[in-house]
């Protein structure tokens, strides 16, 4: 029976999550304290952590970072912050998924099951698609990209551009399309800023950045690497 650790300082939410998770067949540990959560992660062998980002004693983001640095325990983040950037930040810190409050407890149970299913099979690292003979690796679930075995420290926009291009290697994306992929909506005046994000992304990729993210003159950009067969 998988063990789920619920870290949430609001006791109503904590208890309703406990009930739903137990009913779904999980062993459940709970705490309202970030400090205790860190201790429980070390000692309890939790299979998954449901983590509220807004905790009274420790910033939830710090707890997330600690859990991440300690190993591969998956984390589902609960957040009251609805801003897109905050969600992306949560994922970049290594959350496997997030739900925004108010949420339905049934939804949380579904997400927990999905994450455990993903992490139970092939390790995600191995399952992530690679490009250019293994040079570029894109792990969508964790929002991590590696090039020549080096983890790239990307902004959410750079990550969005790279993930979009890698979704269809060789296909040319116009700046307009990239803006839509990255921002989720049309944003007048933003198209030109794509160029500077691409410039920064190439810089982080290193000397071959310009061949990984190719310019197609007058049209846009494309991934210059083939997706590897698996
Ligand atoms: Ca809270």
């Amino acid at each position: 029976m998988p063990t789920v650790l619920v870290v949430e300082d609001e006791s109503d939410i904590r208890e309703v999550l406990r009930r739903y998770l137990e009913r779904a067949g999980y062993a459940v540990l709970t705490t309202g304290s970030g400090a205790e959560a860190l201790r429980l992660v070390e000692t309890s062998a939790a299979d998954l952590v449901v983590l509220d980002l807004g905790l009274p004693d420790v910033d939830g983001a710090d707890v997330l970072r600690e859990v991440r640095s300690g190993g591969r325990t998956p984390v589902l983040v609960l957040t009251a912050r609805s801003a897109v950037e905050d969600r992306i930040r949560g994922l970049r810190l290594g959350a496997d998924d997030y739900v925004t409050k108010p949420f339905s407890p049934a939804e949380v149970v579904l997400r927990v099951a999905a994450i455990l299913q993903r992490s139970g099979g092939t390790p995600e690292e191995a399952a992530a698609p690679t490009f250019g003979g293994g040079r570029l690796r894109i792990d969508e679930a964790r929002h991590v990209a590696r090039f020549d075995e080096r983890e790239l420290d990307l902004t959410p926009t750079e990550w969005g551009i790279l993930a979009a291009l890698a979704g269809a290697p060789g296909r040319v994306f116009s700046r307009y399309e990239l803006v839509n992929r990255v921002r989720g909506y049309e944003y007048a005046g933003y198209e030109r800023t794509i160029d500077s994000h691409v410039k920064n992304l190439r810089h982080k990729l290193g000397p071959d950045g310009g061949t990984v993210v190719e310019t197609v003159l007058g049209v846009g950009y494309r991934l210059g690497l083939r997706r590897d067969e698996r």
Side-chain angles (χ1 to χ4, degrees):
M1 186 192 301
T3 300
V4 177
L5 170 61
V6 177
V7 186
E8 164 63 79
D9 58 303
E10 287 166 70
S11 56
D12 291 359
I13 299 180
R14 195 165 66 224
E15 287 314 310
V16 81
L17 286 178
R18 176 206 287 282
R19 273 207 309 283
Y20 271 75
L21 287 164
E22 282 180 348
R23 209 182 296 156
Y26 299 104
V28 181
L29 299 165
T30 62
T31 176
S33 137
E36 195 187 353
L38 289 173
R39 197 176 56 73
L40 284 170
V41 165
E42 290 211 346
T43 58
S44 73
D47 297 290
L48 183 142
V49 180
V50 176
L51 174 66
D52 176 29
L53 279 189
L55 296 170
D57 57 339
V58 181
D59 185 349
D62 290 338
V63 177
L64 179 52
R65 229 175 265 120
E66 279 292 316
V67 173
R68 268 288 156 257
S69 67
R72 300 190 73 79
T73 311
V75 179
L76 173 65
V77 157
L78 308 177
T79 175
R81 306 164 188 182
S82 57
V84 172
E85 290 293 317
D86 271 352
R87 298 186 201 180
I88 292 172
R89 176 170 160 260
L91 290 171
R92 278 177 48 76
L93 286 171
D96 295 82
D97 204 351
Y98 62 86
V99 288
T100 306
K101 294 178 182 178
F103 51 77
S104 86
E107 170 76 10
V108 171
V109 172
L110 285 177
R111 301 282 186 106
V112 164
I115 295 171
L116 285 173
Q117 199 172 23
R118 283 208 305 261
S119 63
T122 342
E124 286 183 33
E125 184 75 6
T130 60
F131 304 83
R135 293 190 75 191
L136 178 66
R137 179 183 295 273
I138 306 267
D139 188 340
E140 288 263 12
R142 291 184 180 280
H143 270 226
V144 170
R146 282 201 169 76
F147 188 63
D148 289 345
E149 299 303 327
R150 188 167 47 86
E151 184 169 328
L152 303 173
D153 182 21
L154 302 178
T155 66
T157 301
E158 291 160 5
W159 162 262
I161 292 170
L162 187 59
L165 295 178
R171 163 151 135 40
V172 184
F173 288 78
S174 68
R175 293 178 182 83
Y176 176 81
E177 269 184 292
L178 288 174
V179 171
N180 268 274
R181 293 297 185 101
V182 172
R183 311 286 296 200
Y185 54 87
E186 182 188 351
Y187 179 17
Y190 199 77
E191 275 181 66
R192 285 295 139 189
T193 73
I194 285 287
D195 293 345
S196 62
H197 290 296
V198 165
K199 188 171 159 228
N200 294 336
L201 175 57
R202 282 174 171 157
H203 179 72
K204 290 176 182 178
L205 285 161
D208 292 338
T211 57
V212 176
V213 179
E214 289 179 348
T215 300
V216 180
L217 278 178
V219 191
Y221 299 99
R222 72 178 165 209
L223 193 77
L225 304 176
R226 286 171 190 275
R227 180 167 171 156
D228 299 326
E229 302 287 338
R230 305 188 62 85

